[in-house]
Amino acid sequence: MSPMNPMNEDELLPPPTGPGLPADRRRQLRGHLMSEFARGPAAAPRRKRLGWVALPALAGGLALSLVLAGGPTERGADPTRPVAAVVLDRAARAAEQQPAPAARGDQFVYVKSLDNWAKSQGEAPQTRELWTSVDGSKRGLLLVDGHLPNPGGSDEHGEAEPVPNAGRFGGYAYVAALPTDPDALLARIHADTEGHGPGPDEEAFRTVGDLLRDQIAPPAVSAALYRAAAKIPGVRVIDSVTDAAGRPGIAVARRDSGARAEVQWIFDSTDYTYLGERSVAVTDGATFRKGDITSQMAVLARAVVDQPGTRP
């Protein structure tokens, strides 16, 4: 493929459904991208930034946050969108195909995951089960390997267990009421998290990740969350990752300024459903080396149930 006929987004990524690209085809495409970037600015002119950070080189895979060049695709997609925007749009489309949850105010959202948030302490992955009140009026419950973590105290995230979550930010009622327009949703998250975290973009990315991890949302809201995340500067993609359960996927990542690790959301690489989250060290430290996984989790089940402690 010559520089005059550059790759479009569908050649760079596997299709939304069905098997991914064969390994030899991925190597071929990766080699093509490497040669294009080796040509420098004269062969790959700088394009207008669309709120994204373009990486100057490829590292560890197809990588990402690249601004694609070339003409429109068959679906009429914007050829200048970064790869991360393509992945998040496919995740949004996958979310739109999910059935809408039927949740009454007196019920509970149940999320089961395999977690390893304390890898620095050499702990093995643990099964985490979280029940949160749909309308926020009842006490929730967190069990780790079937037991209350630190009964009478708090878990590793500082939440008392069982936890009263009346009016809790991030609960089901909050999520279900979010705007379904991505711009309006991102503005709402910025407003609700103003003054928190290291900065507005960092906190917005973290907040969307929290909602993806620990809640069930109406399909239109889930899709809007992904499309809102695509508007946050600095988001990139990493191919060939695995979640805490060993499932292969593709990751959308963002690195906070000054942070020692970056957060990565993991999606199935064939159907783009959400699998989980992990953090990866970006610098060497006393405990971890650059590239080490510092924490990880994989969502195993989600459901709406009648009581805390009840499993689907």
Side-chain angles (χ1 to χ4, degrees):
M1 185 178 299
S2 71
M4 297 301 294
N5 185 24
M7 253 185 285
N8 63 37
E9 62 197 40
D10 293 315
E11 292 175 302
L12 185 60
L13 293 169
T17 58
L21 290 174
D24 58 347
R25 178 61 173 149
R26 276 185 172 274
R27 286 193 295 269
Q28 179 185 0
L29 296 179
R30 185 179 296 118
H32 171 82
L33 282 173
M34 291 290 284
S35 65
E36 288 296 296
F37 271 77
R39 292 174 180 267
R46 184 179 182 89
R47 290 181 173 266
K48 180 180 179 182
R49 291 180 61 190
L50 301 178
W52 294 80
V53 175
L55 300 185
L58 295 174
L62 288 179
L64 310 140
S65 217
L66 299 176
V67 175
L68 302 178
T73 68
E74 292 181 0
R75 294 193 302 275
D78 179 358
T80 66
R81 286 193 307 169
V83 180
V86 178
V87 171
L88 288 166
D89 182 66
R90 290 183 175 176
R93 284 186 279 155
E96 288 171 333
Q97 302 306 311
Q98 299 301 310
R104 301 191 313 268
D106 62 343
Q107 291 182 303
F108 291 79
V109 170
Y110 169 78
V111 179
K112 179 180 180 181
S113 59
L114 184 66
D115 291 18
N116 194 351
W117 296 110
K119 288 176 68 67
S120 62
Q121 302 173 23
E123 293 187 9
Q126 299 173 308
T127 300
R128 177 177 181 263
E129 295 175 286
L130 179 66
W131 290 262
T132 55
S133 172
V134 166
D135 66 6
S137 66
K138 299 178 176 62
R139 299 178 73 88
L141 177 65
L142 172 65
L143 297 179
V144 176
D145 286 341
H147 304 285
L148 286 173
N150 303 323
S154 63
D155 73 345
E156 68 271 24
H157 299 298
E159 292 181 333
E161 302 304 335
V163 57
N165 68 336
R168 181 178 176 180
F169 172 83
Y172 178 87
Y174 171 86
V175 175
L178 286 172
T180 56
D181 174 78
D183 290 306
L185 192 155
L186 187 57
R188 170 70 181 276
I189 288 176
H190 278 312
D192 289 349
T193 61
E194 185 176 4
H196 297 277
D201 291 331
E202 291 87 347
E203 192 63 19
F205 190 79
R206 292 180 183 181
T207 299
V208 173
D210 290 344
L211 299 179
L212 293 174
R213 182 177 63 244
D214 285 337
Q215 267 302 333
I216 291 177
V221 173
S222 293
L225 284 167
Y226 292 124
R227 292 181 175 126
K231 297 176 178 293
I232 300 173
V235 183
R236 64 192 185 99
V237 174
I238 303 169
D239 70 334
S240 302
V241 303
T242 56
D243 68 6
R247 298 175 296 189
I250 186 169
V252 171
R254 191 182 191 283
R255 184 178 305 177
D256 291 354
S257 57
R260 293 187 175 181
E262 71 175 8
V263 177
Q264 301 178 358
W265 305 339
I266 304 174
F267 300 90
D268 186 281
S269 55
T270 57
D271 65 14
Y272 294 88
T273 55
Y274 178 84
L275 296 180
E277 179 184 304
R278 70 181 191 175
S279 294
V280 177
V282 296
T283 61
D284 292 339
T287 303
F288 294 106
R289 308 294 293 175
K290 182 178 179 179
D292 286 348
I293 298 172
T294 62
S295 62
Q296 59 183 339
M297 63 82 65
V299 174
L300 304 179
R302 299 181 196 263
V304 177
V305 297
D306 290 337
Q307 298 292 334
T310 300
R311 298 177 175 88

